[in-house]
């Protein structure tokens, strides 16, 4: 099992649904027992995954806000490639699909015959797929799509953009494809979906589905359950910087003009350019992240292989965490399971936020696993999805719920092996 996320069903059943990259969604009932049969299994439809490491698979899962009455849910998964490719002699790597399903008469089983494809995207490379699906407080479905893969946003299938200094540019292009974007669609109207009237490119040049752009691999994002319901997006960096951004409608988040708050050089990705534009060709500011951390390959020092976006804590178990953003890293260098957990106090006013590492009682130095994702239940409690192996294989996948140890006030990880 390779768990990537946890979602509670919005139907008062207290069931947790665990997103498994290998193509399955597992149910943990109200008593904490994992059911033996998955809720849905699309593994037979998927592109074969590399057991040692892969960024493809079943990447996203979201319940419709009215799931209790309509039984609708949505997934993001990768299929074998269609014929053709981004250019002559180059084949597509996979087909990314966003699809709707409905639950069957059995509340613990999906109706596999109910699949409704919302859209397919031909992926040029196997990495940088994004993958998160989530409904916003506005009732629309938000979708994270990476820049298409490879490195530097430069490869077959990466179009030229307005910034001539760096080759490639799916992150900065808004006309040719949907790569490098956060999308927002209306699944309650239209066929197979509608476009919210206030999406930023409606009625002007640019793809109507785009909500925000300028991302490399916005792998995990979440909405704050409380406060102002900000949208937090963790965007995996190239070689120097990892970042988390608070994302606004129509925002350009810089890639591949910038990596974090720094000017990016696609021809030499470990050396920062001395300068770069502060806005794009449409006059939109390049928005800096709120959290930036050094990548392990940064010559200045760093230990993050990639950032994993998390959640704002809104639970009751850890009062000191209330309203703070929890995130982490997949691992540190060395190909060992040693991801780390961090926390930041959100604030307005611009500039980078301070953050600090969270020490777990049983794992004071690091998490002790590869951190693959987060989850949050209806009460605001936060979960970590981890594994002892980097790839989508084995049986070491676990889900931990963050909790406070009552005797000493340390943070503990109340976990189960699923």
């Amino acid at each position: 099992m390779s768990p990537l996320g946890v979602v509670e069903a919005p139907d008062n059943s207290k069931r947790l649904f665990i997103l498994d990259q290998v193509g399955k969604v597992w149910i943990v009932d109200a008593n904490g027992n994992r059911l033996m049969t998955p809720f849905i299994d699309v593994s037979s439809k998927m592109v074969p995954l590399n057991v040692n490491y892969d960024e493809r698979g079943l990447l996203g899962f979201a319940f419709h806000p009215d799931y209790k009455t309509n039984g609708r849910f949505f997934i993001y998964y990768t299929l074998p490639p269609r014929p053709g490719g981004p250019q002559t002699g180059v084949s597509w790597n996979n087909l990314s699909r966003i699809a709707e399903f409905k639950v069957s008469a059995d509340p613990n089983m999906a109706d596999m015959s109910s699949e409704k494809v919302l859209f397919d995207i031909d992926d040029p490379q196997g990495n940088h797929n994004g993958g998160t699906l989530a409904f916003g407080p506005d009732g629309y479905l938000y979708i994270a799509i990476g820049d298409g893969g490879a490195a530097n946003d430069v490869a077959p299938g990466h179009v030229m953009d307005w910034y001539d200094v760096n080759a490639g540019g799916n992150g900065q292009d808004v006309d040719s494809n949907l790569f490098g974007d956060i999308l927002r669609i209306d699944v309650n109207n239209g066929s197979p979906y509608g476009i919210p009237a206030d999406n930023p490119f409606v009625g002007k040049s640019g793809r109507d589905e785009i909500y925000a752009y300028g991302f490399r691999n916005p792998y995990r994002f979440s909405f704050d359950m409380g406060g102002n319901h900000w949208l937090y997006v963790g965007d995996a960096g190239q070689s120097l910087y990892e970042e988390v951004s608070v994302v606004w409608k129509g925002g350009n988040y810089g890639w591949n003009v910038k990596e974090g708050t720094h000017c990016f050089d696609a021809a030499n990705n470990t050396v920062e350019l001395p300068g770069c534009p502060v806005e794009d060709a449409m006059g939109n500011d390049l928005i800096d992240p709120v959290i930036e951390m050094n990548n392990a390959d940064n010559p200045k020092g760093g230990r993050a292989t990639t950032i994993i976006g998390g959640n704002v804590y809104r639970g009751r178990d850890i009062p000191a965490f209330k309203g703070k953003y929890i995130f982490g890293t997949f691992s540190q260098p060395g190909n060992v399971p040693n991801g780390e957990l961090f926390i930041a106090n959100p604030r307005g006013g611009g500039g980078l936020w301070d953050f600090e590492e969270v020490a777990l009682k049983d794992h004071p130095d690091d998490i002790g696993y590869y951190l693959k994702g987060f989850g949050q239940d209806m009460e605001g409690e936060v979960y970590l999805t981890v594994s002892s192996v980097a790839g989508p294989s084995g049986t070491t996948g676990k889900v931990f719920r963050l909790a406070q140890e009552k005797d000493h006030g340390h943070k503990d990880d109340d976990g189960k092996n699923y």
Side-chain angles (χ1 to χ4, degrees):
M1 182 181 179
S2 182
L4 305 185
V6 181
V7 183
E8 182 179 343
D11 60 1
N12 301 321
S13 68
K14 303 298 183 182
R15 294 173 300 164
L16 296 178
F17 287 66
I18 300 173
L19 173 67
D20 189 347
Q21 185 181 359
V22 302
K24 304 175 183 181
V25 174
W26 301 96
I27 297 177
V28 176
D29 66 21
N31 297 318
N33 302 308
R34 179 172 71 87
L35 305 190
M36 296 304 296
T37 302
F39 175 67
I40 189 171
D41 183 353
V42 293
S43 56
S44 63
K45 295 184 171 189
M46 294 194 327
V47 64
L49 303 181
N50 300 312
V51 297
N52 293 325
Y53 181 78
D54 212 315
E55 295 182 18
R56 302 169 300 175
L58 179 57
L59 304 177
F61 176 82
F63 289 108
H64 191 283
D66 297 325
Y67 177 78
K68 184 177 180 179
T69 56
N70 65 27
R72 301 167 67 191
F73 66 93
F74 301 81
I75 65 171
Y76 179 156
Y77 68 112
T78 54
L79 294 83
R82 294 190 283 205
Q87 64 186 47
T88 302
V90 178
S91 300
W92 298 114
N93 178 275
N94 68 87
L95 181 72
S96 285
R97 171 169 291 177
I98 312 299
E100 174 184 329
F101 287 82
K102 290 186 177 181
V103 68
S104 72
D106 180 346
N108 294 324
M109 295 287 292
D111 178 359
M112 296 303 295
S113 68
S114 68
E115 183 173 18
K116 172 185 174 183
V117 177
L118 300 187
F119 59 85
D120 290 333
I121 299 177
D122 295 299
D123 264 325
Q125 290 87 36
N127 56 340
H128 302 180
N129 298 304
T132 301
L133 303 179
F135 281 87
D138 53 14
Y140 297 128
L141 179 62
Y142 290 70
I143 304 164
I145 307 289
D147 70 5
N152 307 316
D153 204 359
V154 178
H158 296 248
V159 302
M160 298 301 294
D161 65 16
W162 58 272
Y163 185 53
D164 294 335
V165 172
N166 284 340
N170 281 342
Q172 287 300 308
D173 173 79
V174 296
D175 296 297
S176 303
N177 56 54
L178 297 175
F179 291 123
D181 303 324
I182 302 294
L183 313 180
R184 182 174 72 156
I185 62 175
D186 181 356
V187 298
N188 295 322
N189 296 286
S191 179
Y193 58 85
I195 300 293
D198 63 340
N199 271 11
F201 295 108
V202 171
K204 61 182 72 171
S205 179
R207 297 287 294 268
D208 288 351
E209 294 89 345
I210 297 173
Y211 178 79
Y213 59 106
F215 299 99
R216 182 176 180 269
N217 185 21
Y219 165 62
R220 300 290 90 172
F221 74 74
S222 68
F223 286 93
D224 184 358
M225 292 176 62
N228 294 315
H229 304 295
W230 285 355
L231 171 56
Y232 290 80
V233 177
D235 195 12
Q238 179 63 55
S239 297
L240 297 181
Y241 300 101
E242 305 293 317
E243 61 187 272
V244 175
S245 293
V246 174
V247 171
W248 310 104
K249 181 175 65 178
N252 181 346
Y253 290 84
W255 178 254
N256 71 351
V257 180
K258 302 180 78 174
E259 182 185 21
T261 61
H262 307 265
C263 297
F264 180 74
D265 186 353
N268 187 357
N269 62 34
T270 59
V271 177
E272 300 169 26
L273 289 174
C276 57
V278 297
E279 62 181 34
D280 64 20
M282 296 177 286
N284 296 320
D285 292 340
L286 302 184
I287 302 173
D288 283 339
V290 295
I291 293 171
E292 178 180 270
M293 65 189 330
N294 286 12
N295 184 279
D297 291 334
N298 194 316
K300 299 176 184 177
R303 58 180 191 253
T305 55
T306 193
I307 202 162
I308 307 294
N311 297 81
V312 174
Y313 185 82
R314 295 292 178 184
R316 299 178 180 177
D317 280 359
I318 316 175
F321 282 12
K322 192 83 169 183
K324 296 184 179 181
Y325 179 68
I326 301 169
F327 66 103
T329 59
F330 177 73
S331 69
Q332 301 171 60
N335 298 317
V336 294
N338 57 0
E340 295 181 287
L341 193 65
F342 299 92
I343 194 166
N345 193 20
R347 59 175 176 80
L352 291 171
W353 299 348
D354 294 329
F355 59 89
E356 60 183 351
E357 187 172 357
V358 176
L360 301 173
K361 175 178 178 290
D362 296 329
H363 303 280
D365 297 324
D366 55 63
I367 296 172
Y369 299 89
Y370 292 101
L371 176 62
K372 297 188 174 183
F374 287 85
Q376 192 163 35
D377 62 27
M378 305 296 283
E379 300 298 321
E381 302 299 341
V382 170
Y383 299 77
L384 315 183
T385 56
V386 304
S387 176
S388 295
V389 296
S393 60
T395 58
T396 63
K398 291 185 178 182
V399 175
F400 290 120
R401 181 176 63 85
L402 288 180
Q404 180 166 297
E405 203 215 355
K406 304 305 181 183
D407 292 339
H408 305 292
H410 299 130
K411 309 305 176 288
D412 201 357
D413 45 0
D414 178 17
K416 291 195 176 183
N417 190 331
Y418 295 122

